Amino acid sequence: MKKKIMWASIIYGILLIFAVAGVKNRFRPLPAFQCGIQIIPFLDAYKQYLDGTLIAHYLIGDLFFNLILFMPLVVALLVIDKDLSLKTMVLSILSVSTIVEILEVVSRFGSFDTQDILMNFLGAILAYFIVKKLIKIRTN
């Protein structure tokens, strides 16, 4: 069962990279100066707030999209193994999310952003508990 979970996570990560590149409409690398590493979560939002330029695009596009991005993987992992532990799910999500962020920098399709990893993690946790509750309701 662990191999299925690992392969599902890897396949989802690969599909995610292509989907994100396609959504951003750029299958070509960014200039090096646009690819960076953002260690402090929500720093861009804070700076935009101070400048008065914080817009819905950032809140919806960056935060909400990253919140829901890994929810399908959580559902798939729970379909593969309905008794999936929270620890295994968290390790899968954090691993895939971190690898995707690293590949964004290496391939120059984006930047490494800890905020994205945090939002992916929160969305996955939310999806995990919702789906587990639905499974419990359905089995009763």
Side-chain angles (χ1 to χ4, degrees):
M1 198 62 70
K2 298 280 186 191
K3 282 187 178 184
K4 287 182 181 180
I5 290 170
M6 181 188 71
W7 280 109
S9 299
I10 290 170
I11 291 168
Y12 189 82
I14 292 168
L15 292 173
L16 190 61
I17 291 168
F18 283 110
V20 169
V23 166
K24 291 182 178 179
N25 196 22
R26 53 172 189 204
F27 285 101
R28 60 192 182 284
L30 289 170
F33 68 88
Q34 289 182 351
C35 301
I37 298 174
Q38 184 66 265
I39 300 297
I40 303 170
F42 308 108
L43 183 62
D44 289 337
Y46 180 70
K47 287 178 182 177
Q48 289 177 3
Y49 173 76
L50 292 178
D51 293 343
T53 59
L54 184 63
I55 53 173
H57 172 267
Y58 174 82
L59 295 174
I60 294 170
D62 282 359
L63 298 182
F64 182 72
F65 181 68
N66 280 307
L67 186 71
I68 65 169
L69 197 58
F70 279 83
M71 288 183 173
L73 178 57
V74 172
V75 173
L77 294 178
L78 286 168
V79 166
I80 291 170
D81 181 7
K82 70 177 182 174
D83 297 322
L84 180 71
S85 70
L86 181 62
K87 179 182 173 183
T88 303
M89 188 277 305
V90 165
L91 288 174
S92 295
I93 297 300
L94 289 178
S95 298
V96 173
S97 183
T98 303
I99 289 169
V100 167
E101 290 297 317
I102 290 169
L103 287 175
E104 280 188 40
V105 173
V106 171
S107 65
R108 293 189 7 218
F109 278 114
S111 60
F112 182 93
D113 199 344
T114 54
Q115 168 185 304
D116 293 349
I117 295 171
L118 177 64
M119 294 307 290
N120 296 154
F121 172 74
L122 292 176
I125 293 290
L126 182 66
Y128 179 82
F129 286 115
I130 289 171
V131 173
K132 285 293 245 184
K133 186 72 171 175
L134 291 174
I135 289 171
K136 187 176 181 180
I137 291 170
R138 184 166 169 96
T139 56
N140 288 337

